[in-house]
Amino acid sequence: MRIRTVCVRIVWQPHTMDQPNPTARALLCLEAIQDSPGITAARLATILGVSDRAARRYVAVLRDAGLPVESVRGPYRGYRVGRGMRLPPLMFTTAEALGMAVLDGHHDVTDGKDPVGSALGKLLRALPATIAGQAEAVRRTATVAPDRAAARPDPRTAMTLAQACADHKQVQLAYRSEAGSQWSMLVDPLAVVVRHGRWYLLCFSHHSQANRTYCIDRVAAVEILGGSFTPPANLDPVTELGASMAMGWEYEVDVRIQAPLEAARRRLPLSLGKLEALDDRTTRLTGSTGNPSWYVERLAAVPVPYRIIGCDEVRSAAATLGRRMVAASNAADGDAIEAIYGER
């Protein structure tokens, strides 16, 4: 009996390419471009098992889907993904992660519409569990006291104004005051400044012909115009913000402070007005306010002698505050305290 030996050769091929799926090939195309920046159409065609022309069509599909696939020019031309498609490796220490959690503590972590809380949440979810766990504990157990002075502007409004500042473009603002009044104005946006949790626009007002400060959360609408402007040289936005916040109010204030200019600058908040040296030992403070009582309360914290020269309303508010302080120092004089507070 003869025995025949039969040899069978088995050739294996990936089953995913036996029956091509356009979606699968598009995803494979994206993966290849991500893994090999600068990959050529010919190389893509080999990976996908299609012609060069078909490979270019898959690149076009990715672009139509909004993915930033760029063409690389030069002798090594090919394709690569653009910015925003893939983050570089990010490494955070435990202290940095806790710092992010503390920042997020100023926001409601349960509010899915809050952009800061949402963005930081994504970062924390990408961290190792040992680090992210501590930060998540801070986020969820820390209680935040409401800050009445803080106000969140619309992110798109803040972004538009910041871009106008960077591009030196004039804007038309629709603005509403705290009392509810509304008006429109043409301004040159100089800087966006965040101070004590509040966002401000420092700008040159064409109506007032002077620098003014406006709360961005009260900007109802903003339109970037075609006109451009040249910002002042050596502008210090923080200093200018403080000076402009004390200008344009109802009651004009003029104060003589018995201290050199530099000493006065260290002791007075910027919101009270502009300081200038009268001599080596005396500084002049000029500003304005819509609330004399608020103004003199802040003046009272200045630990140097001063005299209020201008504004009867501010002097009257200072006199009332002085009587209150004197009465408060005499706990037995209840009638005097009642009489002073009865004046208000």
Side-chain angles (χ1 to χ4, degrees):
M1 176 184 293
R2 281 186 166 181
I3 301 176
R4 286 186 174 183
T5 303
V6 180
C7 295
V8 179
R9 187 175 68 172
I10 301 175
V11 179
W12 178 85
Q13 291 181 339
H15 71 278
T16 55
M17 285 304 178
D18 289 344
Q19 298 181 348
N21 181 303
T23 302
R25 274 187 173 150
L27 293 175
L28 183 60
C29 177
L30 175 60
E31 182 180 5
I33 295 173
Q34 285 182 314
D35 291 342
S36 303
I39 189 172
T40 64
R43 177 61 181 156
L44 270 179
T46 301
I47 294 174
L48 299 178
V50 298
S51 65
D52 291 9
R53 185 176 179 180
R56 294 189 182 93
R57 284 202 300 269
Y58 280 110
V59 172
V61 169
L62 296 176
R63 289 170 173 168
D64 290 341
L67 300 179
V69 179
E70 301 175 347
S71 297
V72 182
R73 300 184 181 276
Y76 303 101
R77 59 185 179 274
Y79 301 107
R80 68 182 179 192
V81 292
R83 291 177 62 87
M85 187 63 196
R86 171 179 286 184
L87 287 174
L90 297 177
M91 300 297 293
F92 294 101
T93 66
T94 302
E96 289 170 337
L98 292 176
M100 288 191 291
V102 171
L103 172 62
D104 193 30
H106 295 284
H107 304 82
D108 184 0
V109 298
T110 63
D111 183 4
K113 297 181 180 179
D114 180 77
V116 175
S118 176
L120 290 176
K122 291 178 181 178
L123 283 175
L124 293 179
R125 285 194 293 273
L127 297 179
T130 54
I131 295 178
Q134 299 180 53
E136 286 289 354
V138 172
R139 293 180 82 208
R140 301 196 177 280
T141 59
T143 301
V144 181
D147 184 355
R148 296 181 180 179
R152 301 182 196 175
D154 180 79
R156 290 167 297 184
T157 300
M159 179 188 66
T160 301
L161 290 173
Q163 190 63 54
C165 292
D167 296 339
H168 305 154
K169 291 292 186 180
Q170 293 180 337
V171 299
Q172 191 77 25
L173 295 183
Y175 193 77
R176 61 180 181 276
S177 68
E178 189 174 5
S181 302
Q182 298 188 16
W183 66 91
S184 180
M185 54 188 153
L186 172 65
V187 303
D188 298 343
L190 302 177
V192 171
V193 183
V194 181
R195 185 170 182 266
H196 300 313
R198 194 150 197 172
W199 291 63
Y200 297 95
L201 173 66
L202 174 65
C203 62
F204 176 81
S205 168
H206 285 260
H207 174 74
S208 303
Q209 287 297 299
N211 287 350
R212 290 290 183 262
T213 299
Y214 298 104
C215 300
I216 295 181
D217 58 284
R218 294 181 189 162
V219 175
V222 55
E223 178 186 0
I224 298 182
L225 305 178
S228 59
F229 65 94
T230 301
N234 302 319
L235 175 69
D236 184 343
V238 176
T239 301
E240 188 63 30
L241 173 75
S244 64
M245 289 179 70
M247 299 299 173
W249 298 95
E250 182 179 359
Y251 302 108
E252 298 289 339
V253 184
D254 190 349
V255 182
R256 299 293 189 273
I257 301 170
Q258 300 303 309
L261 177 60
E262 290 304 317
R265 281 177 175 166
R266 292 194 299 268
R267 290 173 169 83
L268 272 77
L270 295 173
S271 57
L272 291 184
K274 180 181 179 181
L275 297 172
E276 57 181 327
L278 293 180
D279 54 44
D280 293 342
R281 296 184 299 174
T282 310
T283 300
R284 183 187 185 193
L285 167 65
T286 54
S288 65
T289 181
N291 187 337
S293 296
W294 173 90
Y295 198 92
V296 298
E297 286 170 3
R298 274 138 190 85
L299 271 181
V302 178
V304 294
Y306 60 85
R307 291 184 298 115
I308 301 173
I309 304 299
C311 191
D312 293 339
E313 290 80 4
V314 172
R315 282 201 298 267
S316 176
T320 300
L321 177 63
R323 290 193 293 269
R324 286 173 52 194
M325 295 298 100
V326 171
S329 66
N330 187 354
D333 195 355
D335 293 338
I337 295 176
E338 182 178 353
I340 292 172
Y341 280 87
E343 295 176 0
R344 303 186 65 188

